[in-house]
Amino acid sequence: MATVDDGSITQTPGLETAVLAGGCFWGAQELLRKRPGVISTRVGYSGGTNAHATYYNHGSQAASVEIAFDPTVISSSAILDVFSQIHDPPSTNR
């Protein structure tokens, strides 16, 4: 049976979770999921008012990636460092 994604942020004992919004969640997910200590990633949309955002209908919501990670292996600062390698905040729609 498939699990229904209700959009809530993953919470796993012993892990930390970050949700980062950038221009392209596929690129961020690919870069982050290969790092030691990253347990899982999940892409979607955050912010905005569309309750059921899709790739073709996400309104003002930002493409985002959720990262569940082991803080004893990789720090939140290291996660942000990796993310900043591909994210350019001054760019249009970032």
Side-chain angles (χ1 to χ4, degrees):
M1 174 183 280
T3 302
V4 175
D5 185 349
D6 66 2
S8 61
I9 294 174
T10 301
Q11 295 182 0
T12 305
L15 300 181
E16 292 185 18
T17 302
V19 177
L20 303 172
C24 172
F25 49 58
W26 302 120
Q29 180 184 42
E30 184 65 19
L31 184 64
L32 290 160
R33 71 182 178 164
K34 295 179 179 180
R35 299 291 179 201
V38 172
I39 306 304
S40 67
T41 59
R42 181 173 63 151
V43 298
Y45 296 92
S46 61
T49 57
N50 188 342
H52 301 286
T54 66
Y55 187 79
Y56 294 106
N57 181 24
H58 54 81
S60 63
Q61 292 178 297
S64 303
V65 62
E66 177 192 89
I67 307 102
F69 62 97
D70 182 341
T72 67
V73 178
I74 188 168
S75 68
S76 57
S77 292
I79 295 285
L80 291 174
D81 286 344
V82 171
F83 182 71
S84 69
Q85 292 176 23
I86 63 164
H87 180 63
D88 184 11
S91 297
T92 303
N93 296 326
R94 296 275 179 138

